[in-house]
Amino acid sequence: MLGNNLSIKAKVFVIISFSLILISTGVQLTSAFEPIEKYEINYEYINIKDMAQAKISTKKKSKNSTNGILSGPNDLSTLTPVKLYSNNKNNKGILEEVSLPLKENTESTLEVPKKIWYLPTEMGKITQNPRYGHVALDITSPRGSGEYIFPVANGVVSGIYKDRAGAKIVTVLHNINGKKYTSQYVHLSSYSKNIYVGKAVTINDTLGRMGTTGKSTGVHLHLALVDCALFDPNDKYCHDLGSFFRYANSRLRQGYIGLGAMIYVPGEWYSR
């Protein structure tokens, strides 16, 4: 009889213990599928070169599935875009949002920043850099006289002529953000048939082909770029060729190196 009582008590104990284990497991499973607490990560107003301040934060978001449990706060889809703010507040006491300045040699477009300055040939190699008395880049190409010459920026053809030695030359006037530049292309073997003074040209319009006309030691392009308007009678710096060369030399002494002042010009290239 005593043995039966002990057996019954043991069975009851096992049943109670098993029930407690099930209840505990159920509580854990329930908590596992409860929404994760909302979270927010903020990096408040980080100074960027004392010019602007940035704020980066996540959106508050809840999860109620195993996928959410696994991804948790590392879910990158919750990140918001970086915004920049000035140090000034508007009349409502809110920091004014600003845009980062564009990189040099780009202009703002609705799509993506667009280059302004380009190399003048599809293929090229620098054989001489600007120096006093020779304020230009000398550029050769493995294509020789088969290499087409393009404007280094959009502009208007301002001159088509030959110098005293017979070099065929084209000049293009560029107006970039209100500042005028003249690019000069010398020693061409031929002019493009469809160019004329006053024609608007883009960086994709050909001016002619590389050559060795005039005083030249071989097929190459002599490219000068000066920040003035050649052949413009109102330009006090370079209204004619004489003043153009004098002004170009004076600018060179001041450290202005033509196209190299606008963009990086490699020693050799195979693409513009």
Side-chain angles (χ1 to χ4, degrees):
M1 186 69 177
L2 180 60
N4 290 336
N5 289 336
L6 289 174
S7 176
I8 293 171
K9 289 181 179 180
K11 290 178 179 179
V12 171
F13 178 80
V14 170
I15 292 171
I16 292 173
S17 298
F18 185 73
S19 299
L20 290 174
I21 291 172
L22 289 176
I23 292 171
S24 175
T25 304
V27 170
Q28 291 179 5
L29 290 173
T30 301
S31 63
F33 284 88
E34 286 180 353
I36 291 177
E37 291 184 359
K38 296 178 179 179
Y39 59 87
E40 186 173 12
I41 301 173
N42 287 293
Y43 300 90
E44 298 285 347
Y45 303 118
I46 303 170
N47 286 328
I48 300 176
K49 296 182 180 179
D50 297 323
M51 292 174 58
Q53 295 175 315
K55 180 180 180 180
I56 306 172
S57 63
T58 63
K59 293 179 180 177
K60 292 183 178 180
K61 191 171 183 179
S62 296
K63 299 290 183 181
N64 57 4
S65 67
T66 54
N67 180 57
I69 293 173
L70 292 175
S71 61
N74 294 321
D75 184 2
L76 299 181
S77 65
T78 64
L79 292 178
T80 57
V82 176
K83 293 184 178 180
L84 299 175
Y85 299 86
S86 70
N87 291 315
N88 301 320
K89 294 183 178 180
N90 60 23
N91 54 12
K92 294 183 180 180
I94 301 174
L95 288 175
E96 296 177 346
E97 186 176 343
V98 297
S99 299
L100 277 177
L102 295 171
K103 291 183 179 180
E104 189 178 2
N105 302 325
T106 61
E107 60 184 4
S108 180
T109 68
L110 292 177
E111 297 81 23
V112 293
K114 174 182 166 185
K115 288 172 60 179
I116 291 177
W117 299 99
Y118 287 76
L119 296 169
T121 59
E122 290 290 351
M123 298 178 67
K125 182 177 181 179
I126 302 299
T127 58
Q128 189 169 176
N129 287 297
R131 57 178 173 76
Y132 186 78
H134 182 270
V135 288
L137 290 168
D138 277 353
I139 302 167
T140 61
S141 168
R143 295 173 177 163
S145 58
E147 186 71 53
Y148 284 102
I149 308 301
F150 300 89
V152 292
N154 294 349
V156 176
V157 176
S158 58
I160 302 173
Y161 60 98
K162 293 181 181 179
D163 65 10
R164 292 179 180 176
K168 293 182 179 180
I169 303 170
V170 175
T171 59
V172 178
L173 174 65
H174 313 278
N175 191 328
I176 310 296
N177 297 324
K179 188 172 182 61
K180 294 180 179 180
Y181 301 84
T182 294
S183 55
Q184 184 188 52
Y185 310 82
V186 185
H187 303 306
L188 304 184
S189 61
S190 61
Y191 301 118
S192 291
K193 294 180 180 179
N194 59 344
I195 67 166
Y196 53 88
V197 173
K199 180 181 179 179
V201 290
T202 72
I203 51 94
N204 296 315
D205 294 315
T206 61
L207 303 175
R209 292 196 182 195
M210 187 177 288
T212 186
T213 56
K215 189 177 179 181
S216 171
T217 56
V219 177
H220 74 287
L221 171 68
H222 173 104
L223 171 68
L225 178 68
V226 184
D227 54 347
C228 64
L230 177 60
F231 303 134
D232 182 348
N234 297 315
D235 191 307
K236 63 180 180 180
Y237 297 115
C238 57
H239 54 276
D240 59 17
L241 286 170
S243 58
F244 175 79
F245 290 120
R246 287 192 297 272
Y247 179 68
N249 277 297
S250 68
R251 291 291 284 128
L252 185 64
R253 284 195 296 267
Q254 295 168 1
Y256 182 84
I257 55 173
L259 185 62
M262 303 293 108
I263 58 172
Y264 168 68
V265 179
E268 189 171 3
W269 63 89
Y270 297 91
S271 173
R272 298 183 73 198

